[in-house]
Amino acid sequence: MLIDFHTHTTASDGALSPAVLVQRARAKGIRLLAITDHDTVAGYQLAAADYTPTADEMRLLSGVEFSCVWSGVTVHVVGLGMDCQHPDFAAGLARLAVAREERAQVIAERLAKLGFAGSLEGALAEAGESQLGRPHFAAWMVAQGHVKSMSAAFDRYLGQGKPGDVKAFWPELVEVVAWIVAAGGVAILAHPLKYQLTRSKLRRLVADFKAADGAGLEILNGRQTQEQSRQLRLLAVEFGLEVSGGSDFHHDTAWGAELGVELHHLGGLSGVWRRWLPSEGCAAGEPL
Ligand code: MN
Ligand code: MN
Ligand code: MN
C-alpha cells in the first residue's frame, strides 16, 4: 500500500499545482496523501475544495511543514490532520507569513550589500501566488544572470551559512508543535538527519520534540540510504515515537523521489497512518 505524508505544491516551492499533484497521486494508486507545503495550508485547501473522494478512493489529509528553531538550529516539523480553522493554528500560520516577509526583506538587504539590487521585487515576482522563500531569490538570481544555476545561488549566497541564510524569525519548536496539537493534528519531526547534528545533539532534539508533544519521526524522506533508515528506526524505537514517511516531492528530478512510499518500507513500527488507516500495520500505542 502506498501513502505519502510529505509533498509540496505551487503553494510553496513545488512545481505541481495542488490539483495536478492530487491527480498524479491518484494515478499512482496512493491511498492516503498529505499536502505539506512550507508554512501554508493554501495548497491543501485548494485541492480539498474540489476533491470529494468516494469511500474507496484516495483520502486527502490536511498538512503543513513548519520551519522553526530549536537550540539555534532551523528544523522542520510536519503537521498532519489539523483543523485548519482552529484559531491557534490559524494564528501560527499568520505569524509565519509575517516572518517570511521580514526574512525576505533581510535577505534582500544582504544581497543588496553584495551588489545585487532589486532582489525583493524580483523574488516576489518569481513567487507569484506562492509562499515567498529562498528558491524565489535563487530563481531571480539565475534569471538576472548573477549565477548560472539555482544550486550555484544556494552554494554561494543563499544556502546554510551564507548571507541569505536568515533564520532569526522562525518560531520555537515547542510553539509549532503546540499549534498542530491544539488543532487536533499530529506533529512529526521531518527528516531528522538533514540537520547534520552530532549524535548526542540529535538525541536531545528528539527528546525535546517528544516532551513538547511531538508524536512521530519521519524515518523515510525521499531517497535515502538503508543505513539512514536503520538509524532513524532505532531512534524512533529508543524514544517510543511513531513513524512516518513521505517522498518530500517538489518536482521531477533525476535524483529526487517520486510520489508515494510503500508502507512495508516503514513496517514493523507503530505508524502515524494508523489514525487514518486502522487496518494497516500495528496500532498506535501498541508495543514496538
Ligand atoms: Mn521545499
Ligand atoms: Mn524540509
Ligand atoms: Mn519538505
PDB file of all heavy atoms in Angstrom, residues 135-171:
ATOM      1  N   PRO A 135      14.147  29.830  -2.658  1.00  0.00           N
ATOM      2  CA  PRO A 135      14.192  29.408  -4.066  1.00  0.00           C
ATOM      3  C   PRO A 135      13.786  30.519  -5.031  1.00  0.00           C
ATOM      4  O   PRO A 135      14.279  30.572  -6.169  1.00  0.00           O
ATOM      5  CB  PRO A 135      13.200  28.240  -4.113  1.00  0.00           C
ATOM      6  CG  PRO A 135      13.186  27.705  -2.728  1.00  0.00           C
ATOM      7  CD  PRO A 135      13.362  28.900  -1.822  1.00  0.00           C
ATOM      8  N   HIS A 136      12.907  31.414  -4.582  1.00  0.00           N
ATOM      9  CA  HIS A 136      12.495  32.507  -5.474  1.00  0.00           C
ATOM     10  C   HIS A 136      13.616  33.528  -5.663  1.00  0.00           C
ATOM     11  O   HIS A 136      13.774  34.101  -6.728  1.00  0.00           O
ATOM     12  CB  HIS A 136      11.218  33.158  -4.944  1.00  0.00           C
ATOM     13  CG  HIS A 136      10.104  32.165  -4.752  1.00  0.00           C
ATOM     14  ND1 HIS A 136       9.570  31.852  -3.527  1.00  0.00           N
ATOM     15  CD2 HIS A 136       9.479  31.366  -5.655  1.00  0.00           C
ATOM     16  CE1 HIS A 136       8.644  30.919  -3.679  1.00  0.00           C
ATOM     17  NE2 HIS A 136       8.576  30.605  -4.959  1.00  0.00           N
ATOM     18  N   PHE A 137      14.390  33.751  -4.595  1.00  0.00           N
ATOM     19  CA  PHE A 137      15.576  34.607  -4.740  1.00  0.00           C
ATOM     20  C   PHE A 137      16.572  33.946  -5.693  1.00  0.00           C
ATOM     21  O   PHE A 137      17.173  34.611  -6.545  1.00  0.00           O
ATOM     22  CB  PHE A 137      16.240  34.842  -3.375  1.00  0.00           C
ATOM     23  CG  PHE A 137      15.536  35.872  -2.534  1.00  0.00           C
ATOM     24  CD1 PHE A 137      14.553  35.501  -1.631  1.00  0.00           C
ATOM     25  CD2 PHE A 137      15.851  37.222  -2.657  1.00  0.00           C
ATOM     26  CE1 PHE A 137      13.886  36.451  -0.861  1.00  0.00           C
ATOM     27  CE2 PHE A 137      15.200  38.181  -1.890  1.00  0.00           C
ATOM     28  CZ  PHE A 137      14.215  37.794  -0.991  1.00  0.00           C
ATOM     29  N   ALA A 138      16.725  32.625  -5.522  1.00  0.00           N
ATOM     30  CA  ALA A 138      17.666  31.900  -6.387  1.00  0.00           C
ATOM     31  C   ALA A 138      17.227  31.989  -7.844  1.00  0.00           C
ATOM     32  O   ALA A 138      18.051  32.243  -8.742  1.00  0.00           O
ATOM     33  CB  ALA A 138      17.762  30.438  -5.935  1.00  0.00           C
ATOM     34  N   ALA A 139      15.928  31.812  -8.087  1.00  0.00           N
ATOM     35  CA  ALA A 139      15.416  31.861  -9.462  1.00  0.00           C
ATOM     36  C   ALA A 139      15.641  33.245 -10.068  1.00  0.00           C
ATOM     37  O   ALA A 139      16.010  33.370 -11.247  1.00  0.00           O
ATOM     38  CB  ALA A 139      13.924  31.513  -9.475  1.00  0.00           C
ATOM     39  N   TRP A 140      15.455  34.273  -9.249  1.00  0.00           N
ATOM     40  CA  TRP A 140      15.683  35.645  -9.738  1.00  0.00           C
ATOM     41  C   TRP A 140      17.156  35.844 -10.086  1.00  0.00           C
ATOM     42  O   TRP A 140      17.498  36.438 -11.120  1.00  0.00           O
ATOM     43  CB  TRP A 140      15.234  36.661  -8.678  1.00  0.00           C
ATOM     44  CG  TRP A 140      15.571  38.081  -9.027  1.00  0.00           C
ATOM     45  CD1 TRP A 140      14.890  38.911  -9.866  1.00  0.00           C
ATOM     46  CD2 TRP A 140      16.700  38.835  -8.539  1.00  0.00           C
ATOM     47  NE1 TRP A 140      15.520  40.131  -9.947  1.00  0.00           N
ATOM     48  CE2 TRP A 140      16.634  40.110  -9.143  1.00  0.00           C
ATOM     49  CE3 TRP A 140      17.753  38.550  -7.661  1.00  0.00           C
ATOM     50  CZ2 TRP A 140      17.584  41.104  -8.895  1.00  0.00           C
ATOM     51  CZ3 TRP A 140      18.695  39.541  -7.412  1.00  0.00           C
ATOM     52  CH2 TRP A 140      18.615  40.803  -8.016  1.00  0.00           C
ATOM     53  N   MET A 141      18.056  35.327  -9.226  1.00  0.00           N
ATOM     54  CA  MET A 141      19.495  35.482  -9.495  1.00  0.00           C
ATOM     55  C   MET A 141      19.895  34.789 -10.790  1.00  0.00           C
ATOM     56  O   MET A 141      20.732  35.298 -11.540  1.00  0.00           O
ATOM     57  CB  MET A 141      20.323  34.926  -8.323  1.00  0.00           C
ATOM     58  CG  MET A 141      20.132  35.720  -7.033  1.00  0.00           C
ATOM     59  SD  MET A 141      21.291  35.241  -5.722  1.00  0.00           S
ATOM     60  CE  MET A 141      22.656  36.357  -6.119  1.00  0.00           C
ATOM     61  N   VAL A 142      19.282  33.637 -11.056  1.00  0.00           N
ATOM     62  CA  VAL A 142      19.567  32.925 -12.310  1.00  0.00           C
ATOM     63  C   VAL A 142      19.028  33.750 -13.488  1.00  0.00           C
ATOM     64  O   VAL A 142      19.743  33.989 -14.467  1.00  0.00           O
ATOM     65  CB  VAL A 142      18.939  31.508 -12.310  1.00  0.00           C
ATOM     66  CG1 VAL A 142      19.125  30.836 -13.667  1.00  0.00           C
ATOM     67  CG2 VAL A 142      19.557  30.640 -11.205  1.00  0.00           C
ATOM     68  N   ALA A 143      17.789  34.222 -13.357  1.00  0.00           N
ATOM     69  CA  ALA A 143      17.162  34.984 -14.443  1.00  0.00           C
ATOM     70  C   ALA A 143      17.952  36.252 -14.770  1.00  0.00           C
ATOM     71  O   ALA A 143      18.027  36.671 -15.925  1.00  0.00           O
ATOM     72  CB  ALA A 143      15.717  35.339 -14.067  1.00  0.00           C
ATOM     73  N   GLN A 144      18.565  36.855 -13.729  1.00  0.00           N
ATOM     74  CA  GLN A 144      19.344  38.080 -13.917  1.00  0.00           C
ATOM     75  C   GLN A 144      20.755  37.797 -14.440  1.00  0.00           C
ATOM     76  O   GLN A 144      21.498  38.725 -14.717  1.00  0.00           O
ATOM     77  CB  GLN A 144      19.474  38.822 -12.581  1.00  0.00           C
ATOM     78  CG  GLN A 144      18.164  39.378 -12.058  1.00  0.00           C
ATOM     79  CD  GLN A 144      17.644  40.520 -12.913  1.00  0.00           C
ATOM     80  OE1 GLN A 144      18.334  41.503 -13.134  1.00  0.00           O
ATOM     81  NE2 GLN A 144      16.427  40.383 -13.416  1.00  0.00           N
ATOM     82  N   GLY A 145      21.109  36.522 -14.479  1.00  0.00           N
ATOM     83  CA  GLY A 145      22.462  36.174 -14.917  1.00  0.00           C
ATOM     84  C   GLY A 145      23.519  36.352 -13.837  1.00  0.00           C
ATOM     85  O   GLY A 145      24.718  36.315 -14.126  1.00  0.00           O
ATOM     86  N   HIS A 146      23.102  36.546 -12.578  1.00  0.00           N
ATOM     87  CA  HIS A 146      24.071  36.694 -11.485  1.00  0.00           C
ATOM     88  C   HIS A 146      24.770  35.369 -11.180  1.00  0.00           C
ATOM     89  O   HIS A 146      25.898  35.339 -10.703  1.00  0.00           O
ATOM     90  CB  HIS A 146      23.385  37.197 -10.214  1.00  0.00           C
ATOM     91  CG  HIS A 146      22.804  38.570 -10.351  1.00  0.00           C
ATOM     92  ND1 HIS A 146      23.473  39.602 -10.980  1.00  0.00           N
ATOM     93  CD2 HIS A 146      21.618  39.089  -9.943  1.00  0.00           C
ATOM     94  CE1 HIS A 146      22.710  40.696 -10.942  1.00  0.00           C
ATOM     95  NE2 HIS A 146      21.589  40.406 -10.332  1.00  0.00           N
ATOM     96  N   VAL A 147      24.039  34.285 -11.371  1.00  0.00           N
ATOM     97  CA  VAL A 147      24.601  32.931 -11.183  1.00  0.00           C
ATOM     98  C   VAL A 147      24.100  32.055 -12.324  1.00  0.00           C
ATOM     99  O   VAL A 147      23.120  32.385 -12.990  1.00  0.00           O
ATOM    100  CB  VAL A 147      24.160  32.298  -9.834  1.00  0.00           C
ATOM    101  CG1 VAL A 147      24.868  32.905  -8.649  1.00  0.00           C
ATOM    102  CG2 VAL A 147      22.641  32.390  -9.670  1.00  0.00           C
ATOM    103  N   LYS A 148      24.776  30.912 -12.500  1.00  0.00           N
ATOM    104  CA  LYS A 148      24.423  30.039 -13.622  1.00  0.00           C
ATOM    105  C   LYS A 148      23.250  29.126 -13.310  1.00  0.00           C
ATOM    106  O   LYS A 148      22.551  28.688 -14.208  1.00  0.00           O
ATOM    107  CB  LYS A 148      25.646  29.183 -14.009  1.00  0.00           C
ATOM    108  CG  LYS A 148      26.723  29.970 -14.740  1.00  0.00           C
ATOM    109  CD  LYS A 148      27.327  29.149 -15.886  1.00  0.00           C
ATOM    110  CE  LYS A 148      28.126  30.023 -16.837  1.00  0.00           C
ATOM    111  NZ  LYS A 148      29.332  30.604 -16.173  1.00  0.00           N
ATOM    112  N   SER A 149      23.069  28.791 -12.017  1.00  0.00           N
ATOM    113  CA  SER A 149      22.042  27.803 -11.676  1.00  0.00           C
ATOM    114  C   SER A 149      21.502  28.071 -10.279  1.00  0.00           C
ATOM    115  O   SER A 149      22.120  28.788  -9.487  1.00  0.00           O
ATOM    116  CB  SER A 149      22.637  26.389 -11.715  1.00  0.00           C
ATOM    117  OG  SER A 149      23.626  26.275 -10.705  1.00  0.00           O
ATOM    118  N   MET A 150      20.359  27.460  -9.999  1.00  0.00           N
ATOM    119  CA  MET A 150      19.762  27.551  -8.670  1.00  0.00           C
ATOM    120  C   MET A 150      20.743  27.025  -7.621  1.00  0.00           C
ATOM    121  O   MET A 150      20.901  27.620  -6.551  1.00  0.00           O
ATOM    122  CB  MET A 150      18.493  26.682  -8.599  1.00  0.00           C
ATOM    123  CG  MET A 150      17.373  27.105  -9.502  1.00  0.00           C
ATOM    124  SD  MET A 150      16.383  28.462  -8.814  1.00  0.00           S
ATOM    125  CE  MET A 150      15.472  27.624  -7.505  1.00  0.00           C
ATOM    126  N   SER A 151      21.401  25.915  -7.935  1.00  0.00           N
ATOM    127  CA  SER A 151      22.285  25.340  -6.918  1.00  0.00           C
ATOM    128  C   SER A 151      23.495  26.244  -6.682  1.00  0.00           C
ATOM    129  O   SER A 151      23.969  26.369  -5.549  1.00  0.00           O
ATOM    130  CB  SER A 151      22.695  23.913  -7.274  1.00  0.00           C
ATOM    131  OG  SER A 151      23.356  23.894  -8.510  1.00  0.00           O
ATOM    132  N   ALA A 152      23.953  26.920  -7.731  1.00  0.00           N
ATOM    133  CA  ALA A 152      25.054  27.876  -7.531  1.00  0.00           C
ATOM    134  C   ALA A 152      24.599  29.031  -6.639  1.00  0.00           C
ATOM    135  O   ALA A 152      25.356  29.520  -5.788  1.00  0.00           O
ATOM    136  CB  ALA A 152      25.546  28.403  -8.884  1.00  0.00           C
ATOM    137  N   ALA A 153      23.350  29.469  -6.817  1.00  0.00           N
ATOM    138  CA  ALA A 153      22.824  30.554  -5.973  1.00  0.00           C
ATOM    139  C   ALA A 153      22.810  30.134  -4.512  1.00  0.00           C
ATOM    140  O   ALA A 153      23.165  30.916  -3.621  1.00  0.00           O
ATOM    141  CB  ALA A 153      21.415  30.930  -6.437  1.00  0.00           C
ATOM    142  N   PHE A 154      22.405  28.886  -4.250  1.00  0.00           N
ATOM    143  CA  PHE A 154      22.390  28.399  -2.867  1.00  0.00           C
ATOM    144  C   PHE A 154      23.804  28.208  -2.333  1.00  0.00           C
ATOM    145  O   PHE A 154      24.112  28.596  -1.202  1.00  0.00           O
ATOM    146  CB  PHE A 154      21.569  27.099  -2.759  1.00  0.00           C
ATOM    147  CG  PHE A 154      20.112  27.378  -2.503  1.00  0.00           C
ATOM    148  CD1 PHE A 154      19.236  27.587  -3.555  1.00  0.00           C
ATOM    149  CD2 PHE A 154      19.633  27.470  -1.207  1.00  0.00           C
ATOM    150  CE1 PHE A 154      17.899  27.885  -3.318  1.00  0.00           C
ATOM    151  CE2 PHE A 154      18.296  27.753  -0.948  1.00  0.00           C
ATOM    152  CZ  PHE A 154      17.431  27.965  -2.017  1.00  0.00           C
ATOM    153  N   ASP A 155      24.669  27.619  -3.164  1.00  0.00           N
ATOM    154  CA  ASP A 155      26.049  27.362  -2.715  1.00  0.00           C
ATOM    155  C   ASP A 155      26.761  28.655  -2.329  1.00  0.00           C
ATOM    156  O   ASP A 155      27.519  28.693  -1.374  1.00  0.00           O
ATOM    157  CB  ASP A 155      26.862  26.677  -3.824  1.00  0.00           C
ATOM    158  CG  ASP A 155      26.466  25.226  -4.009  1.00  0.00           C
ATOM    159  OD1 ASP A 155      25.719  24.717  -3.143  1.00  0.00           O
ATOM    160  OD2 ASP A 155      26.881  24.622  -5.014  1.00  0.00           O
ATOM    161  N   ARG A 156      26.505  29.717  -3.102  1.00  0.00           N
ATOM    162  CA  ARG A 156      27.296  30.933  -2.896  1.00  0.00           C
ATOM    163  C   ARG A 156      26.613  31.986  -2.049  1.00  0.00           C
ATOM    164  O   ARG A 156      27.272  32.737  -1.329  1.00  0.00           O
ATOM    165  CB  ARG A 156      27.681  31.519  -4.258  1.00  0.00           C
ATOM    166  CG  ARG A 156      28.698  30.621  -4.969  1.00  0.00           C
ATOM    167  CD  ARG A 156      28.825  30.937  -6.427  1.00  0.00           C
ATOM    168  NE  ARG A 156      29.370  32.273  -6.677  1.00  0.00           N
ATOM    169  CZ  ARG A 156      29.480  32.790  -7.896  1.00  0.00           C
ATOM    170  NH1 ARG A 156      29.091  32.085  -8.942  1.00  0.00           N
ATOM    171  NH2 ARG A 156      29.986  33.995  -8.046  1.00  0.00           N
ATOM    172  N   TYR A 157      25.276  32.065  -2.120  1.00  0.00           N
ATOM    173  CA  TYR A 157      24.603  33.203  -1.476  1.00  0.00           C
ATOM    174  C   TYR A 157      23.459  32.860  -0.515  1.00  0.00           C
ATOM    175  O   TYR A 157      23.180  33.623   0.401  1.00  0.00           O
ATOM    176  CB  TYR A 157      24.057  34.152  -2.545  1.00  0.00           C
ATOM    177  CG  TYR A 157      25.116  34.664  -3.481  1.00  0.00           C
ATOM    178  CD1 TYR A 157      25.162  34.260  -4.809  1.00  0.00           C
ATOM    179  CD2 TYR A 157      26.118  35.527  -3.010  1.00  0.00           C
ATOM    180  CE1 TYR A 157      26.161  34.720  -5.666  1.00  0.00           C
ATOM    181  CE2 TYR A 157      27.113  35.984  -3.856  1.00  0.00           C
ATOM    182  CZ  TYR A 157      27.128  35.582  -5.181  1.00  0.00           C
ATOM    183  OH  TYR A 157      28.117  36.031  -6.015  1.00  0.00           O
ATOM    184  N   LEU A 158      22.783  31.749  -0.752  1.00  0.00           N
ATOM    185  CA  LEU A 158      21.521  31.536  -0.027  1.00  0.00           C
ATOM    186  C   LEU A 158      21.508  30.326   0.904  1.00  0.00           C
ATOM    187  O   LEU A 158      20.644  30.222   1.776  1.00  0.00           O
ATOM    188  CB  LEU A 158      20.374  31.393  -1.042  1.00  0.00           C
ATOM    189  CG  LEU A 158      20.120  32.625  -1.908  1.00  0.00           C
ATOM    190  CD1 LEU A 158      19.257  32.262  -3.126  1.00  0.00           C
ATOM    191  CD2 LEU A 158      19.435  33.724  -1.097  1.00  0.00           C
ATOM    192  N   GLY A 159      22.435  29.410   0.713  1.00  0.00           N
ATOM    193  CA  GLY A 159      22.429  28.163   1.479  1.00  0.00           C
ATOM    194  C   GLY A 159      22.921  28.345   2.912  1.00  0.00           C
ATOM    195  O   GLY A 159      23.250  29.461   3.343  1.00  0.00           O
ATOM    196  N   GLN A 160      22.964  27.240   3.626  1.00  0.00           N
ATOM    197  CA  GLN A 160      23.360  27.260   5.027  1.00  0.00           C
ATOM    198  C   GLN A 160      24.707  27.949   5.236  1.00  0.00           C
ATOM    199  O   GLN A 160      25.678  27.663   4.549  1.00  0.00           O
ATOM    200  CB  GLN A 160      23.430  25.817   5.548  1.00  0.00           C
ATOM    201  CG  GLN A 160      23.398  25.772   7.057  1.00  0.00           C
ATOM    202  CD  GLN A 160      23.064  24.378   7.573  1.00  0.00           C
ATOM    203  OE1 GLN A 160      22.734  23.469   6.823  1.00  0.00           O
ATOM    204  NE2 GLN A 160      23.153  24.221   8.877  1.00  0.00           N
ATOM    205  N   GLY A 161      24.698  28.924   6.145  1.00  0.00           N
ATOM    206  CA  GLY A 161      25.937  29.636   6.472  1.00  0.00           C
ATOM    207  C   GLY A 161      26.258  30.779   5.524  1.00  0.00           C
ATOM    208  O   GLY A 161      27.225  31.504   5.735  1.00  0.00           O
ATOM    209  N   LYS A 162      25.459  30.947   4.474  1.00  0.00           N
ATOM    210  CA  LYS A 162      25.683  32.036   3.509  1.00  0.00           C
ATOM    211  C   LYS A 162      24.835  33.259   3.905  1.00  0.00           C
ATOM    212  O   LYS A 162      23.947  33.151   4.746  1.00  0.00           O
ATOM    213  CB  LYS A 162      25.319  31.565   2.093  1.00  0.00           C
ATOM    214  CG  LYS A 162      26.078  30.322   1.636  1.00  0.00           C
ATOM    215  CD  LYS A 162      27.580  30.533   1.629  1.00  0.00           C
ATOM    216  CE  LYS A 162      28.284  29.215   1.340  1.00  0.00           C
ATOM    217  NZ  LYS A 162      29.700  29.240   1.670  1.00  0.00           N
ATOM    218  N   PRO A 163      25.101  34.417   3.270  1.00  0.00           N
ATOM    219  CA  PRO A 163      24.397  35.637   3.692  1.00  0.00           C
ATOM    220  C   PRO A 163      22.867  35.507   3.670  1.00  0.00           C
ATOM    221  O   PRO A 163      22.179  36.081   4.515  1.00  0.00           O
ATOM    222  CB  PRO A 163      24.853  36.680   2.661  1.00  0.00           C
ATOM    223  CG  PRO A 163      26.156  36.169   2.150  1.00  0.00           C
ATOM    224  CD  PRO A 163      26.096  34.673   2.217  1.00  0.00           C
ATOM    225  N   GLY A 164      22.330  34.740   2.734  1.00  0.00           N
ATOM    226  CA  GLY A 164      20.871  34.611   2.624  1.00  0.00           C
ATOM    227  C   GLY A 164      20.259  33.620   3.592  1.00  0.00           C
ATOM    228  O   GLY A 164      19.048  33.403   3.583  1.00  0.00           O
ATOM    229  N   ASP A 165      21.082  33.003   4.426  1.00  0.00           N
ATOM    230  CA  ASP A 165      20.584  32.022   5.393  1.00  0.00           C
ATOM    231  C   ASP A 165      20.141  32.768   6.652  1.00  0.00           C
ATOM    232  O   ASP A 165      20.865  32.835   7.630  1.00  0.00           O
ATOM    233  CB  ASP A 165      21.681  30.999   5.695  1.00  0.00           C
ATOM    234  CG  ASP A 165      21.242  29.959   6.718  1.00  0.00           C
ATOM    235  OD1 ASP A 165      20.029  29.702   6.811  1.00  0.00           O
ATOM    236  OD2 ASP A 165      22.108  29.411   7.405  1.00  0.00           O
ATOM    237  N   VAL A 166      18.954  33.341   6.604  1.00  0.00           N
ATOM    238  CA  VAL A 166      18.436  34.146   7.706  1.00  0.00           C
ATOM    239  C   VAL A 166      17.404  33.320   8.455  1.00  0.00           C
ATOM    240  O   VAL A 166      16.426  32.877   7.875  1.00  0.00           O
ATOM    241  CB  VAL A 166      17.764  35.428   7.159  1.00  0.00           C
ATOM    242  CG1 VAL A 166      17.137  36.230   8.291  1.00  0.00           C
ATOM    243  CG2 VAL A 166      18.773  36.269   6.388  1.00  0.00           C
ATOM    244  N   LYS A 167      17.657  33.078   9.745  1.00  0.00           N
ATOM    245  CA  LYS A 167      16.711  32.197  10.433  1.00  0.00           C
ATOM    246  C   LYS A 167      16.137  32.815  11.686  1.00  0.00           C
ATOM    247  O   LYS A 167      15.414  32.164  12.423  1.00  0.00           O
ATOM    248  CB  LYS A 167      17.372  30.855  10.751  1.00  0.00           C
ATOM    249  CG  LYS A 167      18.694  30.959  11.471  1.00  0.00           C
ATOM    250  CD  LYS A 167      19.331  29.584  11.642  1.00  0.00           C
ATOM    251  CE  LYS A 167      20.687  29.529  11.057  1.00  0.00           C
ATOM    252  NZ  LYS A 167      21.382  28.420  10.721  1.00  0.00           N
ATOM    253  N   ALA A 168      16.425  34.070  11.928  1.00  0.00           N
ATOM    254  CA  ALA A 168      16.084  34.663  13.219  1.00  0.00           C
ATOM    255  C   ALA A 168      14.583  34.755  13.477  1.00  0.00           C
ATOM    256  O   ALA A 168      14.166  34.927  14.607  1.00  0.00           O
ATOM    257  CB  ALA A 168      16.694  36.048  13.330  1.00  0.00           C
ATOM    258  N   PHE A 169      13.766  34.622  12.431  1.00  0.00           N
ATOM    259  CA  PHE A 169      12.355  34.931  12.603  1.00  0.00           C
ATOM    260  C   PHE A 169      11.454  33.726  12.835  1.00  0.00           C
ATOM    261  O   PHE A 169      10.267  33.870  13.028  1.00  0.00           O
ATOM    262  CB  PHE A 169      11.847  35.715  11.390  1.00  0.00           C
ATOM    263  CG  PHE A 169      12.605  36.985  11.169  1.00  0.00           C
ATOM    264  CD1 PHE A 169      13.526  37.077  10.141  1.00  0.00           C
ATOM    265  CD2 PHE A 169      12.433  38.063  12.014  1.00  0.00           C
ATOM    266  CE1 PHE A 169      14.246  38.244   9.939  1.00  0.00           C
ATOM    267  CE2 PHE A 169      13.144  39.228  11.813  1.00  0.00           C
ATOM    268  CZ  PHE A 169      14.062  39.323  10.780  1.00  0.00           C
ATOM    269  N   TRP A 170      12.020  32.549  12.803  1.00  0.00           N
ATOM    270  CA  TRP A 170      11.154  31.368  12.955  1.00  0.00           C
ATOM    271  C   TRP A 170      10.695  31.222  14.405  1.00  0.00           C
ATOM    272  O   TRP A 170      11.415  31.561  15.329  1.00  0.00           O
ATOM    273  CB  TRP A 170      11.875  30.095  12.531  1.00  0.00           C
ATOM    274  CG  TRP A 170      12.392  30.063  11.132  1.00  0.00           C
ATOM    275  CD1 TRP A 170      13.631  29.658  10.754  1.00  0.00           C
ATOM    276  CD2 TRP A 170      11.699  30.396   9.924  1.00  0.00           C
ATOM    277  NE1 TRP A 170      13.748  29.734   9.379  1.00  0.00           N
ATOM    278  CE2 TRP A 170      12.586  30.185   8.862  1.00  0.00           C
ATOM    279  CE3 TRP A 170      10.405  30.853   9.647  1.00  0.00           C
ATOM    280  CZ2 TRP A 170      12.229  30.419   7.535  1.00  0.00           C
ATOM    281  CZ3 TRP A 170      10.046  31.085   8.336  1.00  0.00           C
ATOM    282  CH2 TRP A 170      10.954  30.866   7.294  1.00  0.00           C
ATOM    283  N   PRO A 171       9.490  30.666  14.597  1.00  0.00           N
ATOM    284  CA  PRO A 171       9.034  30.367  15.967  1.00  0.00           C
ATOM    285  C   PRO A 171       9.835  29.200  16.560  1.00  0.00           C
ATOM    286  O   PRO A 171      10.584  28.527  15.848  1.00  0.00           O
ATOM    287  CB  PRO A 171       7.573  29.965  15.763  1.00  0.00           C
ATOM    288  CG  PRO A 171       7.455  29.581  14.337  1.00  0.00           C
ATOM    289  CD  PRO A 171       8.510  30.321  13.575  1.00  0.00           C
TER     290      PRO A 171
END
